[in-house]
Amino acid sequence: MGLKTLDKITAALESRPAELEQLRKQGKKIVGWLAYNIPEEIIYALGLIPIRIGQGGDGRLVEVGARHISTKNCVFVRQALGQFAEKTDPYIKQLDLVAIDATCIQLYRLEELINFYFDYKTIVLGVPRNFATTEGHEYFRKEVEFFTKKLELFAGTALEQSRLEEAISIYDNIREAIKTLYRYQSLDNAPLSWRQVSSVINAGYNLDRLTYLELLQELIKEIEKNLSAGTGSREIEARIFLSGSLIPPGDTKLIDIIEQLGGRIVGDDLWSGLNFFLNLNIQEPTPYSVADAYLDRVPHGSLPYLDLESDGRLANLKHQIKEFNADGVVYHTLRYCDAFTFKAGETKDVLGNVPFLEIHTEYSGSDFEAIRTRVEAFIEMIKSKKEIAELV
Amino acid sequence: MAITAPFSYPESIKEKFTATQGLKFKDGSTVSSAEIWEFMTKEAPTRFPYAFDAGANNMGRFSDDVNFLSGIKRGYLTLTLKDRVMKEHAAGTPTVLVQGGQAMDAYYAAGGLPVRPGLVMQWARNMHEGLSLRQSETLGLNILESGRRKISIDACNQIAAHAAIDNKVVPIDLIAPFLCLRCSDMSFLVETHRNREHDIPRYLVDYPVDHENKPWAAEYIATELRELIAKIAALSGRTVTDEVIFDEIRLENRGRRIATEIADLWWGAENPPTNSTDFFGIAFLANDFLGDPVASVDLLEQSKIEIEERIRNNVRGFGVPDHAKRLYICGSCVGPNAHHAQTAGAIFVGRDDSWSCISVPVEEEGDPYLNIARSMLAYPYEQRTEKRAEWTAEQVRRSRADGVIFMYQWGCNYQSGVARMISDIVKEKAGVVTTFVEVGELGRSEATEQSTNRVEAFIEMV
Ligand code: SF4
Ligand code: SF4
């Protein structure tokens, strides 16, 4: 079904680079951020323009990046490096500052490289790898405070509590809206697909946050108005849940394959997807409180956690699979992304009877056919299981 | 294929060797040089024949410089590691998996026995005695492959140590390394143990990024060090007071100081007084302590005396080529084959990894936890890459190196990430040629042509 608000979002995106140019002329500063734990609320509250960066799926940019880093580094990092090297991306070329957090040390290395080779002004936020401990929290509080001070200097203004409060409220509402969209896309008579939700999330990388929130709320209204019109699907479908390394904007290989083969993606716990929007509850408008909230949400796979039973990432994964009524998990791992690759076998063990397929890949197309064959067999297997279950 | 005769120490040096002092150990025991000689010439060749394989591809091959007598004692400490660890373990000393490039003071002070992945693998291979080099490597590779099958083919060869623990080849009581920024695999490999049948306790001491001028970074580590020490002490039964920690710090600082003094002497010498193997062995000893800091420091002292004497007499280390090209080696856990490099006309004059660890002594007064934390945070190797490269360039100048080789293992994502940047900076700051080599052999001594050829081509170019 055609949702008009989606067209509006596309139009807003098209005009965004020119809008940013204008804003910069008026003295606004753009902060590009990359990684997993940058508290965007603080950037926004300081009157800076946050842009989330990081794309995938472009083999050419990966090669450009590989001139400065090894081909044995994660392909997402290599492509980002390629983008910084080329400076042709309409957003990257307008960045006044790049903020990167050290959740994944490969991204920390990226920060060093873009600072050294391409002269980007950068700022790093340390993230404790012992994130669940009191001392880890204490460390991160100080880091966020330090990060805020540096941003204040850059912005030329102090962080006001009221502005932070406002920012927190906008971001809370964005997160709620995305969660709502996820619920709708997973319905039997879904008014929009997972892929469409994913492109809405991707639009949020660049759009003005208030405009984005308004568009999200408009989209939800439009969906809700049309909800009753659909009827439940009778077809047997393979409801696929995506997990593992992120699948950033531009990386559509696996999504295309799953959809072309008749699989339906209904949920994910990706950091380019839903996880980013989950369980972030900032109690007070202070940097300390922001720090605590970021550390307490679903942990990123790059942060090691030594007890299986109480691992929040796995608990969330299990919960989301149920929530979205998924039939099987495609666990996507990027080559040299140890954070997720090393956990593949364990994740399969933990999920027990849930059908599980690991796809270990890069952005090149050379493994397209091999992945296709494996996904095809996986989807077939899920469908026949469901067919048999319907018969008995 | 020609079979090379095994390496052996000639009888002609026996008298000279047995006239030297033996080694003292941390439990107060001693071993005489005559006993060391017996072990290294009779017992060890039978029990560990692989170590005496004289093939040039044997990365762990002993130094040919048989007249550098401390080198023989270093071989003794290496080959007795298994016996010593097993004996201590049986007596209740907890064995702890750590990683290379980190301080060991806290572990020994708490009554633990820290072993890094490389030594875990040596220990694991030595659990089967009488093996040839090929057999011993096959044993190691089988362990490695079992780990890669279970976890990932993207892992570096450190995974073998974790597999050796999983497969109960060696008894480890605690898995508790520092998370140095050098290492991409350690944290995730430690994490894999949570899904294993064994229930070995685990702990990680974090290592924050960009910690300069951030007192909270050292406080964070210090708090974790307290917990680490408490965990080890609970296993060892030792009461760990500040004074106990300072005693250990003082001992290990002594080792670090002797090793840096040796490096300065060595670099200043007209002729390299030892070959690459012996020189690197010294730095390793002061960083790792091979299960016994008392014995290691004793041996470092003896090594220094020998080196001073050689320098006084302008003796060149055996195997050092005429007009040797001086190479500085960068990168973790892997390095070029010293024997091949010597044949190609080069000598290794330094190594950023182990040199970094020994270059920062721990303060001997105040809060020992904070002191260890601050010293760890000051390791040049763990600084921002630009700073690390500047320190490396300084080392290159001081060691009068003609070229730099940055080597990293397959799967070592953080070193692969900065190899080019470090090479570029060092080239610019130190004015020497640099190269970087990725090593994919993962513990094999065969099929090493690719990296060997690249190193040799580089030496030719230098
Ligand atoms: S977590 Fe994985 S995918 Fe993300 S940047 Fe790190 S290595 Fe790459
Ligand atoms: S080779 Fe690299 S990843 Fe592997 S143990 Fe060494 S530092 Fe860690």
Side-chain angles (χ1 to χ4, degrees), chain B residues 212-231:
Chain B
E212 241 179 317
N213 303 321
K214 292 179 177 175
W216 60 90
E219 283 156 17
Y220 173 38
I221 297 182
T223 310
E224 297 196 335
L225 280 172
R226 279 182 194 279
E227 198 160 329
L228 171 77
I229 288 186
K231 279 184 196 303

Side-chain angles (χ1 to χ4, degrees), chain B residues 267-282:
Chain B
W267 286 339
E270 192 185 325
N271 269 310
T274 70
N275 59 29
S276 309
T277 308
D278 284 319
F279 189 37
F280 276 15
I282 287 165

Side-chain angles (χ1 to χ4, degrees), chain A residues 139-157:
Chain A
Y139 165 79
F140 194 55
R141 282 177 165 204
K142 300 269 171 51
E143 276 295 305
V144 171
E145 188 179 46
F146 184 75
F147 179 78
T148 306
K149 280 195 186 125
K150 284 190 122 178
L151 278 181
E152 285 177 333
L153 273 179
F154 176 74
T157 180

Side-chain angles (χ1 to χ4, degrees), chain B residues 90 115 140 173 176 210 296 301 324 326 335 389 393:
Chain B
V115 258
D173 302 305
D210 282 21
S296 295
E301 278 165 349
R326 298 167 72 94

Side-chain angles (χ1 to χ4, degrees), chain A residues 145-182:
Chain A
E145 188 179 46
F146 184 75
F147 179 78
T148 306
K149 280 195 186 125
K150 284 190 122 178
L151 278 181
E152 285 177 333
L153 273 179
F154 176 74
T157 180
L159 182 67
E160 287 172 27
Q161 204 174 353
S162 61
R163 293 273 297 150
L164 184 57
E165 206 164 351
E166 202 182 303
I168 290 169
S169 159
I170 293 172
Y171 281 86
D172 276 349
N173 287 326
I174 290 177
R175 286 187 275 269
E176 277 314 308
I178 297 289
K179 283 190 261 179
T180 306
L181 290 179
Y182 260 84

